[in-house]
Amino acid sequence: ALAARRASSHGPGRTADGHPVRLYVNIGGAGDAAAGTAAGAQGVGLLRTEFLFQGRQTAPTHAEHVAAYAEAFAPYAGRTVIVRTLDVGADKPLAYLDMGDEENPALGVRGLRLARRDPAFLTEQLAAIAEAAAASGAEVGVMAPMVATAYEAESFARTAREHGIARVGVMIEVPAAALCAAQILTHVDFASLGTNDLAQYTMATDRLAGELADLLDPWQPAVLQLIAASAAAGVAAGKPVGVCGEAASDPLLGLVLAGLGITSLSMAPASLADVRGTLAAHTLAQCRELAAVALAAPSAPDARAAVGRLVRERA
Ligand code: PEP
Ligand code: MG
């Protein structure tokens, strides 16, 4: 019984009937990496790399890059680690990088767009990731933030593969990318939905605007529809489409996401146990039913309430 309990608190994510949904953690620094293994994660679904660049006056050296990635990969031998390339601009500024005068920084040169101005930002980082990955036992992939077009996905994938990185993906966090997910997926191995920015850009609501929090709710019908479209494109292409925004840490929403065809959920380590347990208590058919109920609801509170009601009835 103890072994079974340990398996259920640390095993891979599965629905009650065995459908796999991989459970990953989001990591914000090399020093946090071990928290994911302690929580029983199957890997890292989002390694944010801004920590390497923020809070300093000069760019990190190649050796500093490699050492930080090596430290982050070390606990994950034999497991997946998805490294997100630098996502600065807007809510993530850099002291030593003058972004110029941008009227709307959230709509400006941020994420992958920085590589248009200065390709070295991307290529230096990819070279260091590839070097650290080769020396680690982890299955390392990279993904680009703020991709809006299939062309950007294609050019990022080409650059990453030129650096010897085998698994290449993009984030879907701009509505355009969700709408073009099928085309985007022809160029990459996987995609991961960043629901924090996807909600911001879909709802035209600053993600830092506390008084508008109701509009940023990932249960908003428009956000759910874009998630559903992206997941369906993944199912059709036979390629993984996960979620790595805060939405993945909501156990009820996790059921809906599984029902939509999302293949992995990446979250703060503290949320893993709840999400794993809730998933294990529902079959894939039930998740699909909950997804249909959520998609049919006219508002975020209605969607959450309708799904919650069905789940409680079953318990
Ligand atoms: C997101 O946008 O949902 C995401 C995971 O990335 P970040 O919060 O770092 O922008
Ligand atoms: Mg984002």
Side-chain angles (χ1 to χ4, degrees):
L2 185 62
R5 210 172 318 131
R6 203 178 298 124
S8 65
S9 69
H10 270 79
R14 290 192 190 288
T15 59
D17 54 333
H19 172 74
V21 179
R22 299 177 67 84
L23 297 178
Y24 293 142
V25 283
N26 296 343
I27 297 292
D32 300 350
T37 48
Q42 289 171 265
V44 177
L46 168 63
L47 174 61
R48 290 184 170 101
T49 57
E50 291 75 57
F51 76 94
L52 252 164
F53 300 82
Q54 283 169 332
R56 50 184 298 158
Q57 298 305 318
T58 55
T61 64
H62 177 74
E64 284 173 326
H65 264 275
V66 176
Y69 301 133
E71 185 186 350
F73 299 164
Y76 293 95
R79 294 188 231 192
T80 300
V81 180
I82 306 298
V83 186
R84 179 178 71 187
T85 56
L86 181 61
D87 185 21
V88 292
D91 59 311
K92 308 178 185 83
L94 272 198
Y96 60 88
L97 183 68
D98 181 5
M99 300 298 291
D101 271 333
E102 289 187 308
E103 192 91 18
N104 292 298
L107 304 179
V109 181
R110 56 162 295 197
L112 181 65
R113 297 169 181 188
L114 194 59
R116 297 169 180 236
R117 276 196 194 161
D118 190 351
F121 260 103
L122 180 62
T123 53
E124 286 170 7
Q125 187 173 26
L126 289 171
I129 293 167
E131 187 175 323
S136 80
E139 290 160 21
V140 175
V142 295
M143 66 181 178
M146 285 299 291
V147 166
T149 67
Y151 174 77
E152 288 172 337
E154 182 187 15
S155 87
F156 174 74
R158 190 184 329 111
T159 308
R161 291 194 177 108
E162 280 166 6
H163 284 80
I165 293 166
R167 280 198 80 215
V168 183
V170 294
M171 291 192 69
I172 296 181
E173 52 184 350
V174 176
L179 293 167
C180 296
Q183 289 99 316
I184 284 175
L185 281 168
T186 64
H187 302 295
V188 292
D189 304 307
F190 68 92
S192 187
L193 284 145
T195 49
N196 309 332
D197 277 309
L198 187 61
Q200 156 164 276
Y201 294 119
T202 304
M203 303 303 295
T205 303
D206 189 325
R207 60 188 277 176
L208 302 177
E211 69 183 291
L212 302 176
D214 58 310
L215 293 174
L216 287 168
D217 191 330
W219 290 83
Q220 280 287 349
V223 178
L224 288 180
Q225 284 188 44
L226 289 174
I227 295 172
S230 306
V235 171
K239 293 184 178 178
V241 174
V243 171
C244 66
E246 301 310 321
S249 63
D250 172 348
L252 269 193
L253 190 50
L255 298 175
V256 169
L257 296 172
L260 292 173
I262 290 295
T263 55
S264 66
L265 299 170
S266 191
M267 65 202 81
S271 304
L272 265 180
D274 252 12
V275 171
R276 181 190 282 108
T278 304
L279 199 60
H282 296 79
T283 64
L284 179 58
Q286 289 172 332
C287 292
R288 287 183 173 143
E289 186 194 348
L290 296 171
V293 164
L295 279 177
S299 74
D302 284 319
R304 189 183 277 109
V307 168
R309 207 176 309 119
L310 264 178
V311 165
R312 276 194 307 278
E313 277 169 22
R314 285 191 187 129

